[in-house]
Amino acid sequence: MEIITSVGIILFLYFTYYYYSYFTRPNPLPGPFPLPFIGTLLQIGLEPHKWAEKNLNDSIDIWEFYAGPIRVIVPCDAKYVDKIYLSYNESKSLSKEAMFSKRGVAIYDEVGIQNGVVFNNDFHKWKRSRQFITKVLMSKKHHIEFLNSSQKIFKEYEKQWDKNDIITLDFSKWISLYKAKVTIATVIGQPLYNLPSFDSISRAASEYVAMFAFLVFAPKIIISIFMFFGFNTIKKESVFLNGTIRSIIQKRRDKIMSGSTPNFNLLDLLLITNSSSNSEGYIEGEQPMNDEEIETNLAEIIAASIETTGNAFCFLVYNVAKNPLNHEKLCAEIFKIFGSDTNSMVTYETLEKCHYVDALVKETLRNSNPVPYNLRVLDGDDSTDKFHWSPGTWFLIDNQRIMNNPKYWNEPMKFNPGRFLSEEHGGTNEFSNMCKNGYVPFGGGLIICPGRNIAIIELKLLAILFFRKYNIELVNNESIKYVYRTANQVHDFMIKISQKKKNNIVYNSFGFKDQPY
């Protein structure tokens, strides 16, 4: 009886403190009413955007919810993110003092994922990883190698379509398998050693990305229960590709040390730069990356590449298939630049000439961004617009609502690639007048996505490879289906693919049928 009484008193005191803190919080904002221990989990689950769509009107540009006891601020307007996406100090160098530079939270460290670029709160280690990975992923040489490798793999996959008049498939599954093979080839290289099937890799990538949403939104007490009943085992087995990445690192290092010629993939470059005999790639005063850090960076890049680019391309295909005019303009530009040869190689130089394809990709990332939110944790006292915040405040920046805000975009819900084209190329030139941080498909600030350039290149390449040779038809006219798990994961996206028949139609520069040839 005394134990029950004591527990009751403790709970009463906790509830009293909890709600006293809630009702006296600074800057109270709209949002679901929280419950002790679980916060607003019952109201929003793991998908805050669905709650916001149903319960918030368009005039509300900042709101809040609770992840367990932790208050999470959700800015939905560009005016709030100027400070959050600050990258540089007054000397124009990467600023360790940037107050919103952290994305990792305490629970991430407990499951062992704070050794890469995405969730690393150790500034020096993060900067070292970022410096090298960005240098590789942003280099023109890597882009060219990536283009060549991707097209080779695409040709292997499309052989099955060339044997049939019409293929019906779940495109969300197909693109995930294709992306798994491309990513492994360009990040880890060949041979694949003991890697599981590409189907297993694509599922592992999905689980890896989904894990972050669970760790952010689920109360710590629930996460602790999952960890107790084997969450760590699931993480090691499923997330890190069945535990093979570490083995691959060791085997590849042995081969390089034995004289094997390094290839231009991320793994080989990481091993060469961080070998004991090479100090040229080190940041002064820093130690080389260890195997755990290399493993985490590879896992992050593999999972992010498969999930974000694959889902983004599903949205692109959907919007092109739904809009005949967009399809016509896309095919017109492809024909103008590449001619009637549907099997010619797409080069880095020809890709740069594709203005409409570029605009199509950018509009896809604006209208249907695969990563709608960006988590940041305030490291000190700072302010956003009229609000002042205390250290430790969480911010979940709603990039999707920012990029669909009618204050900044004309008819934002309309899919219109022309807003990213100049008037010279038949567009409205709307993007050139965009406010700062009004277009943030890859986040911003210190930890902006290092693979943003390669993602755009790949989306442009895929658009050309598909739509210059194939007709794509939606099996039904329903809205595209997706669920939010850190990324918007598309599912059950059924399409019909058939080869185009050669015709005698050419197009003018604005994408309309002109005259026969």
Side-chain angles (χ1 to χ4, degrees), residues 126-380:
W126 167 84
K127 184 177 179 181
R128 178 188 59 199
S129 295
R130 177 191 182 277
Q131 185 180 55
F132 182 80
I133 290 172
T134 300
K135 183 178 180 181
V136 174
L137 295 182
M138 301 287 275
S139 71
K140 183 177 179 179
K141 183 177 180 181
H142 180 70
H143 296 166
I144 294 172
E145 292 283 344
F146 180 86
L147 279 171
N148 294 335
S149 180
S150 297
Q151 290 178 83
K152 181 180 178 181
I153 293 171
F154 184 85
K155 290 182 183 297
E156 294 174 6
Y157 271 90
E158 70 173 343
K159 288 179 182 178
Q160 59 183 304
W161 303 336
D162 294 341
K163 299 176 183 178
N164 300 277
D165 292 332
I166 299 177
I167 295 290
T168 301
L169 53 79
D170 182 347
F171 191 70
S172 61
K173 290 183 178 179
W174 184 92
I175 194 66
S176 185
L177 292 175
Y178 167 80
K179 274 298 303 165
K181 188 166 185 177
V182 169
T183 303
I184 293 301
T186 55
V187 173
I188 293 180
Q190 302 288 346
L192 296 180
Y193 302 105
N194 295 319
L195 272 173
S197 68
F198 290 112
D199 183 55
S200 297
I201 293 170
S202 65
R203 289 199 305 269
S206 178
E207 292 172 9
Y208 185 88
V209 171
M211 180 181 68
F212 298 133
F214 175 75
L215 293 178
V216 168
F217 299 124
K220 189 173 181 180
I221 186 172
I222 295 178
I223 295 172
S224 299
I225 293 172
F226 270 76
M227 291 177 65
F228 179 79
F229 286 105
F231 184 81
N232 266 341
T233 301
I234 296 173
K235 183 266 296 185
K236 290 178 181 177
E237 293 300 317
S238 298
V239 173
F240 289 121
L241 309 180
N242 293 330
T244 56
I245 287 185
R246 182 71 62 89
S247 174
I248 290 171
I249 292 171
Q250 294 169 349
K251 290 179 179 179
R252 189 59 189 151
R253 178 187 285 111
D254 291 342
K255 288 206 169 191
I256 291 175
M257 292 182 66
S258 299
S260 175
T261 303
N263 298 312
F264 199 83
N265 59 65
L266 189 58
L267 172 59
D268 282 16
L269 293 171
L270 280 171
L271 291 175
I272 293 169
T273 304
N274 293 281
S275 68
S276 59
S277 59
N278 179 20
S279 60
E280 294 180 3
Y282 299 169
I283 298 173
E284 185 176 354
E286 295 288 350
Q287 296 295 316
M289 295 169 65
N290 58 37
D291 282 2
E292 187 176 0
E293 290 173 296
I294 293 175
E295 178 185 22
T296 303
N297 276 293
L298 292 177
E300 286 180 353
I301 292 169
I302 290 169
S305 176
I306 294 172
E307 281 294 288
T308 57
T309 310
N311 287 298
F313 192 63
C314 286
F315 286 113
L316 186 151
V317 169
Y318 173 80
N319 282 297
V320 172
K322 288 282 287 185
N323 191 317
L325 182 58
N326 288 337
H327 179 263
E328 199 168 349
K329 288 183 176 182
L330 171 61
C331 293
E333 182 172 82
I334 292 173
F335 182 83
K336 178 182 177 181
I337 294 174
F338 298 96
S340 59
D341 185 357
T342 58
N343 293 307
S344 62
M345 289 291 290
V346 178
T347 66
Y348 187 87
E349 289 70 27
T350 54
L351 204 62
E352 289 189 318
K353 298 177 183 178
C354 299
H355 301 292
Y356 187 81
V357 178
D358 183 71
L360 179 69
V361 167
K362 288 177 178 176
E363 176 67 350
T364 298
L365 296 175
R366 183 202 69 82
N367 181 267
S368 308
N369 194 275
V371 186
Y373 292 107
N374 198 336
L375 176 65
R376 299 297 175 90
V377 181
L378 178 58
D379 200 30

